[in-house]
Amino acid sequence: MTNRIATLQRETSESSIELSIDLDGTGATDIETSVPFYDHLLTAFAKHSLTDLRVRADGDTDIDVHHTVEDIGIVLGQAIKIALGDKRGISRYGDALVPLDEALVQAVVDISGRPYLVHTGEPAGFEFHLIGGHFTGSMVRHVFEAISFNAAITTHITVVGGRDPHHIAEAEFKAFARAFRQAKALDPLITGIPSTKGAL
């Protein structure tokens, strides 16, 4: 089996990012994004998807965390796409229902080659809440858009319920992680690419 790894760099006038990923890791992390709550969310993603992840990022967070957070999502999605290779032997689909105290989130992933995001259920006002005083709730959906479109995967995320913005955001990342873990897993019963088209 080819190692499913990728290392990328991205430099813009708004951010500087170095990212490495190993899809067949143990969930080891080394993450410094300069956005503390985002570090927390990415660490949860790596841990629960069994993906090794290293991120170094610096950006214009004095203006807003938006650019840095979005750009990391873009690079993470690109790295996932590269690391997946031709997707031979993967399970392709994954779904998870994950609680975090009062919050409950379902995520369904299809490593389809078709970028799409359906994201529903966050409570009214969530998008305006500053989590940790710096991470706007609206960024959660934006990160999943960046990952899904750059990884070319279909993602459905449904917030079933929740009250605390921290819990909701973290449950979203954990649910996505668990669904992605299933989808990227190599299935010994599958030979070749799991698609009637012969390509994903």
Side-chain angles (χ1 to χ4, degrees):
M1 182 187 75
T2 304
N3 290 333
R4 298 193 298 171
I5 60 176
T7 298
L8 292 178
Q9 292 184 318
R10 187 175 194 264
E11 296 274 349
T12 73
S13 60
E14 297 171 339
S15 69
S16 173
I17 298 160
E18 297 178 13
L19 185 147
S20 298
I21 193 170
D22 182 349
L23 295 182
D24 300 303
T26 61
T29 56
D30 182 10
I31 299 172
E32 294 180 12
T33 69
S34 74
V35 182
F37 188 65
Y38 199 28
D39 291 358
H40 180 59
L41 295 177
L42 291 174
T43 298
F45 162 74
K47 178 73 172 179
H48 293 283
S49 67
L50 296 182
T51 298
D52 291 350
L53 180 62
R54 181 183 187 275
V55 183
R56 287 292 181 275
D58 185 45
D60 56 358
T61 55
D62 55 315
I63 296 173
D64 191 354
V65 305
H66 187 111
H67 299 144
T68 300
V69 170
E70 178 184 24
D71 289 353
I72 292 168
I74 289 169
V75 176
L76 178 56
Q78 291 171 342
I80 287 171
K81 185 175 183 180
I82 292 168
L84 283 168
D86 65 5
K87 309 179 184 78
R88 191 174 301 274
I90 64 167
S91 294
R92 177 175 169 177
Y93 300 102
D95 74 274
L97 188 63
V98 172
L100 179 54
D101 295 349
E102 88 297 341
L104 182 64
V105 176
Q106 182 182 34
V108 183
V109 169
D110 176 10
I111 299 176
S112 60
R114 296 186 305 277
Y116 207 89
L117 175 68
V118 177
H119 182 271
T120 60
E122 288 179 346
F126 176 88
E127 66 273 27
F128 305 118
H129 192 88
L130 282 178
I131 306 170
H134 63 277
F135 190 93
T136 311
S138 63
M139 292 309 302
V140 175
R141 177 193 174 106
H142 206 37
V143 170
F144 290 126
E145 287 175 337
I147 294 172
S148 299
F149 278 77
N150 285 278
I153 62 178
T154 296
T155 305
H156 287 246
I157 294 176
T158 304
V159 178
V160 179
R163 179 177 180 273
D164 183 274
H166 182 140
H167 291 168
I168 293 168
E170 188 173 339
E172 290 189 62
F173 272 77
K174 287 179 176 178
F176 175 71
R178 293 290 297 194
F180 179 68
R181 173 177 166 178
Q182 290 179 15
K184 73 180 173 82
L186 297 169
D187 186 334
L189 298 178
I190 294 175
T191 57
I193 296 168
S195 170
T196 55
K197 298 189 294 292
L200 287 172

